[in-house]
Amino acid sequence: MPDKLNIAIFASGNGSNFRAIHEAISGGKIRNAQIALVISNNSDAGALEIARGFKIPAVHISRTQYKSDDEFNATLIGALAKHHINFIALAGYMKKIDASIVGAFRNRIMNIHPALLPKFGGDGMYGMKVHEAVLAAKEKLSGATVHIVDDQYDHGIIVLQKTVTVEPSDTAETLAARVLKIEHEIYPEAIRLFAEGKIKIEDGKVIISQ
Ligand code: GAR
């Protein structure tokens, strides 16, 4: 078994993916991991409130509080070091992770995206905009993707994907709700596989052993 995962969650919004990961850990589905820190760029994020309820250290760190990108990123790195973080899960985090952090946590940052990457990803594709774009393109399938984070938006190696059917009657909201349900399945599952050492990344490819 690899070293225990000491996870930092980065979240900007409601925090339902954070909650799903927390439930999988507290319910014993993910054994070799704990959530040690929650960071949000948004002081009103539901994720911060959930974290405080669970007595998990929760901090608001936003670029707007700092004079430069360097100062901001150094504060993030400092918070991660202080809590001995060795894995980052982006869970509805709407900001790009700086290359300095990607470099310090190479292949140890995951993200969940509410579509079937590489489609409907990239700059500006987040939250409800993704589902609106899927409907506008008249896709028959959508879904969710867990991927390793590299220094481009929604670009890193894909770890897990699951599809949902797009119904003719769907609005962005109904589709988002169907996708969110499967996000709550595949994100904890991807973290379980990683925590158990069952995900290997070699030559830019993911090898999963069950
Ligand atoms: C989720 O649907 C997640 O996939 C999406 O934001 C939502 C956050 O929900 N993330 C992105 O769009 C990132 N590109 P949550 O706060 O309830 O977990």
Side-chain angles (χ1 to χ4, degrees), residues 107 156-158 200-207:
N107 293 337
I157 311 162
I158 291 172
K200 297 262 173 302
I201 296 149
E202 280 169 21
D203 303 328
K205 288 200 187 98
V206 161
I207 302 158

Side-chain angles (χ1 to χ4, degrees), residues 19 46 91 117 125 130 144 149 165:
R19 194 190 282 281
L117 292 175
M125 275 289 172
V130 177
V149 171
T165 307

